[in-house]
Amino acid sequence: MNNAFRGTAKVIKMLKLILLSVLIIAICIALLSVKVIFRKNGKFESQHIHDSAAMRKMGIHCVVDQDKEMRRKGSMK
């Protein structure tokens, strides 16, 4: 009987931990989506390098664009 109680206690402890983890993740997702939910036409800003005017001014390009450019230059020789 004592072993059965230990097994049940472990399962309950594990379920509490899983529920706590799910709750923390749900709160994080809710906080991350505040801008999208509560602003009219809310959206996340693009994180791509080619969409950043400051990066373009410095001449920094996306690695995919740089690869395409180098392939074009290499095939033109």
Side-chain angles (χ1 to χ4, degrees):
M1 187 175 204
N2 197 11
N3 285 338
F5 178 72
R6 280 190 204 155
T8 305
K10 285 182 180 182
V11 170
I12 291 172
K13 196 181 259 190
M14 183 176 59
L15 287 175
K16 285 181 182 179
L17 181 63
I18 290 172
L19 288 174
L20 180 64
S21 301
V22 169
L23 179 65
I24 290 171
I25 292 170
I27 289 170
C28 290
I29 290 172
L31 290 174
L32 285 170
S33 63
V34 165
K35 181 179 177 183
V36 175
I37 293 172
F38 293 113
R39 281 183 97 189
K40 189 174 185 178
N41 297 326
K43 61 181 178 180
F44 289 112
E45 299 296 325
S46 175
Q47 300 297 315
H48 294 274
I49 291 175
H50 67 270
D51 291 335
S52 172
M55 294 291 214
R56 284 192 303 249
K57 280 183 183 177
M58 290 187 280
I60 298 172
H61 304 282
C62 174
V63 70
V64 174
D65 294 338
Q66 288 177 343
D67 185 53
K68 287 179 187 175
E69 186 178 325
M70 293 306 291
R71 288 176 188 264
R72 268 187 265 142
K73 285 181 181 178
S75 65
M76 294 176 81
K77 288 183 179 181

